[in-house]
Amino acid sequence: MKLVLKFGGTSVSSTQNIRNVANLIRKLTKEHKIIPVFSAISGVTDDLIRITNLIQNRNKEAANSLAKKIIKIHTDIANQCVKNPKIKKDLVNKMKTDLDELQDLLHGMLLLGEVTSRSSDYLISFGERLSINLVAFALNEMGVKAVPLTGKDAGIVTDSNFGGAKPLMDTTRLHVSHTIENLLQKKIMPVIGGFSGADQHGNITTFGRGGSDYTATIIASSIKADEVWLMSDVDGLMTTDPKIVKNAKLIKEVSYIEAMEMALFGAKYIHPRALEPLVTKKIPLRIRNTFNVNNPGTLVTANPQTDTQKLVKCVSTIRHTGLIDVRGGSMVGAPGTAATIFSILAKEGINIMMISQSPSESSISIIVKKNDLDKAVNSLEMNLLGKIIKKVDVTVDVSIIALIGSGMRGIAGVASKVFTAVAKKGVNVIMIAQGSSELNLAFVVKDSDCNAAVQALHDEFELGKTS
Ligand code: ASP
Ligand code: MG
């Protein structure tokens, strides 16, 4: 099979882990054609983003010392992960070239004291650019011919929406398939850096946090891979958080749409757009554990074969959120009220996680992250209190509980089952939302009630039973 394997940051975060991952890849090449995609070493992207903030605050010293830390992490591993003197020399040289460019860029940005979305993407793309060198040369030492390629080198062409770029798939397919097939024919493995590509002018762009998943599926779609495996440090998608429910089970199979819903919650975050490139080509995706390769993980396909009869496949939670309830008689029948409220929050950069409005139109409930709560309430009060809204009520420490599963679609009685099970535990439901896709039924409870409700629902829908 032609497999695209994406590895997360932990698999490159030490010499030992790099050797392990290179060894795993080497073994797999006996049976398959492997195209691996890598994230940056854990924490490096965070540090690079921190550097952009420090530059903006003109904190030159702190920016430089953080850059030094990144340089040290990579040069230390580069000095250890390869023994063969010739290969080691090549790796150290390659690292030096990339690190020099990083330092030049930093120097330039510090001189200007300015960070644009374009320069920021250029800077934060370095995490992956550096990590792939380590893996490619470790593979070379094991006898697997490999070259490091950034997204740009591989041929990923995107729009110029820095920080959240989208691939231009037709052009990308053309370039990527050409580059990669060429290498594969020469029996050279491309070791691809995730997270970034380049726009049509050659400027480096990034896909947003977790974007290496997206790189893997873009590549897979471009070369018509047989499967994509997202390798991380969890076994796969679970029926619920095993920290809350002891008999939480691994989910064997889900559809693309279910996976997209689940990925927003839960332990295994997947980039929200990562499944898109697979859908039209119907390429299956597996979520697997690098440290537990005997476990088959979760399979994501267009039409799952097992568990399809299940109403609900998982109970997910988002803990520690805040609820804002906006009320006012003049909201009734006034077009544009919701738009006004949402655009005020948008201007503050606040992400709305859940909304519900009663048909009387006299109140709108909004869930935001706890960290955003103060800012959200202040901006609503400053702009709207006494105008279209009379009152803003706040409840801190609430949790969203979401049931996900396409089996709920068109089935009567799911909601009654859900709320009866929760009521039996004496848990009060504060807010409810269900999209018309019927794939996701979400409601809000006090955070202190969350565990009891999740346990009750996991039992009610018998998710702990293996199928
Ligand atoms: N390194 C990037 C991030 O942390 C991309 C990724 O890991 O997928 O967001
Ligand atoms: Mg990451």
Side-chain angles (χ1 to χ4, degrees):
M1 288 202 290
K2 197 156 43 166
L3 298 179
V4 175
L5 264 56
K6 180 256 166 177
F7 293 90
T10 30
S11 50
V12 281
S13 56
S14 71
T15 298
Q16 192 53 46
N17 291 359
I18 289 174
R19 291 220 180 106
N20 290 347
V21 86
N23 216 353
L24 173 67
I25 293 174
R26 184 184 57 85
K27 278 190 205 145
L28 287 167
T29 52
K30 298 202 170 117
E31 277 181 59
H32 308 285
K33 263 188 200 155
I34 304 293
I35 298 95
V37 175
F38 282 88
S39 284
I41 292 179
S42 311
V44 169
T45 310
D46 291 326
D47 281 344
L48 288 164
I49 293 173
R50 235 168 259 144
I51 290 181
T52 62
N53 295 330
L54 291 168
I55 298 171
Q56 253 156 348
N57 299 335
R58 297 198 173 257
N59 195 339
K60 190 175 166 185
E61 253 163 56
N64 274 326
S65 82
L66 208 45
K68 269 203 194 105
K69 174 183 155 198
I70 294 174
I71 293 169
K72 182 168 178 344
I73 292 172
H74 290 89
T75 34
D76 282 356
I77 300 183
N79 278 315
Q80 292 161 10
C81 74
V82 169
K83 295 246 151 58
N84 177 308
K86 157 93 181 55
I87 298 176
K88 184 169 170 174
K89 196 170 148 230
D90 290 346
L91 168 59
V92 169
N93 284 340
K94 173 74 170 76
M95 271 299 187
K96 187 168 180 311
T97 314
D98 288 340
L99 289 171
D100 284 350
E101 188 176 322
L102 171 63
Q103 271 173 311
D104 285 349
L105 174 62
L106 181 64
H107 185 62
M109 288 171 80
L110 279 168
L111 276 180
L112 287 169
E114 179 187 89
V115 179
T116 61
S117 55
R118 186 170 119 187
S119 61
S120 164
D121 268 9
Y122 185 11
L123 185 74
I124 65 178
S125 74
F126 268 89
E128 277 72 10
R129 187 162 157 189
L130 299 169
S131 70
I132 50 175
N133 293 337
L134 302 169
V135 186
F137 285 88
L139 280 163
N140 284 335
E141 186 170 54
M142 288 180 186
V144 179
K145 260 200 213 161
V147 288
L149 291 186
T150 62
K152 180 179 176 179
D153 299 336
I156 297 178
V157 183
T158 72
D159 60 17
S160 302
N161 185 14
F162 297 100
K166 274 200 194 142
L168 307 176
M169 273 318 282
D170 291 332
T171 323
T172 295
R173 265 193 201 106
L174 219 66
H175 289 238
V176 169
S177 59
H178 179 81
T179 319
I180 294 190
E181 297 300 347
N182 248 341
L183 287 167
L184 292 180
Q185 250 168 27
K186 292 186 209 145
K187 302 236 174 323
I188 299 173
M189 179 187 292
V191 175
I192 298 169
F195 191 40
S196 69
D199 71 4
Q200 281 166 307
H201 311 287
N203 301 308
I204 296 189
T205 52
T206 68
F207 299 128
R209 298 310 304 268
S212 302
D213 298 340
Y214 201 16
T215 303
T217 60
I218 293 166
I219 300 276
S221 160
S222 302
I223 59 168
K224 300 197 188 68
D226 294 293
E227 286 186 5
V228 179
W229 295 358
L230 299 185
M231 311 293 291
S232 67
D233 46 14
V234 296
D235 283 337
L237 301 173
M238 304 287 290
T239 53
T240 194
D241 183 350
K243 277 182 236 130
I244 302 179
V245 177
K246 285 220 174 58
N247 65 339
K249 289 267 158 10
L250 181 77
I251 305 175
K252 289 196 186 123
E253 230 183 313
V254 290
S255 66
Y256 292 128
I257 329 172
E258 288 170 327
M260 256 184 256
E261 293 275 344
M262 291 178 193
L264 297 177
F265 302 84
K268 176 61 190 124
Y269 176 84
I270 306 176
H271 188 283
R273 281 208 294 276
L275 292 153
E276 273 171 29
L278 303 180
V279 177
T280 46
K281 298 265 180 314
K282 290 208 166 58
I283 301 172
L285 173 111
R286 281 178 206 277
I287 300 166
R288 307 192 60 177
N289 192 338
T290 321
F291 305 100
N292 186 12
V293 275
N294 294 325
N295 193 317
T298 302
L299 176 63
V300 186
T301 61
N303 299 304
Q305 302 299 310
T306 59
D307 283 356
T308 35
Q309 72 288 4
K310 279 205 171 141
L311 277 178
V312 170
K313 287 194 175 163
C314 86
V315 184
S316 305
T317 55
I318 302 180
R319 307 297 293 256
H320 307 298
T321 56
L323 182 144
I324 306 169
D325 197 46
V326 186
R327 292 171 189 277
S330 41
M331 287 163 62
V332 179
T337 309
T340 311
I341 292 172
F342 299 152
S343 64
I344 285 171
L345 296 178
K347 248 187 239 143
E348 294 291 323
I350 292 162
N351 185 32
I352 299 173
M353 305 177 79
M354 192 170 153
I355 316 163
S356 124
Q357 185 193 283
S358 64
S360 77
E361 300 178 33
S362 62
S363 89
I364 295 181
S365 304
I366 299 164
I367 300 283
V368 297
K369 288 215 183 78
K370 202 175 160 184
N371 299 344
D372 287 338
L373 194 60
D374 283 345
K375 206 159 75 171
V377 174
N378 284 342
S379 63
L380 288 174
E381 288 184 341
M382 294 242 295
N383 290 290
L384 300 178
L385 203 62
K387 294 176 195 155
I388 52 172
I389 61 182
K390 281 249 162 57
K391 202 158 182 279
V392 181
D393 280 326
V394 178
T395 317
V396 283
D397 277 320
V398 296
S399 289
I400 304 176
I401 299 180
L403 293 105
I404 300 164
S406 46
M408 293 192 278
R409 199 176 292 155
I411 304 286
V414 180
S416 119
K417 252 183 135 174
V418 170
F419 296 118
T420 310
V422 173
K424 271 193 202 147
K425 299 281 166 196
V427 171
N428 178 41
V429 174
I430 305 174
M431 172 179 167
I432 306 172
Q434 185 194 289
S436 51
S437 71
E438 297 185 47
L439 215 72
N440 187 331
L441 171 66
F443 60 94
V444 174
V445 298
K446 271 222 227 78
D447 193 61
S448 52
D449 286 337
C450 180
N451 288 4
V454 168
Q455 180 76 56
L457 292 166
H458 200 262
D459 292 345
E460 178 67 32
F461 290 97
E462 303 186 333
L463 299 181
K465 283 196 183 150
T466 32
S467 43

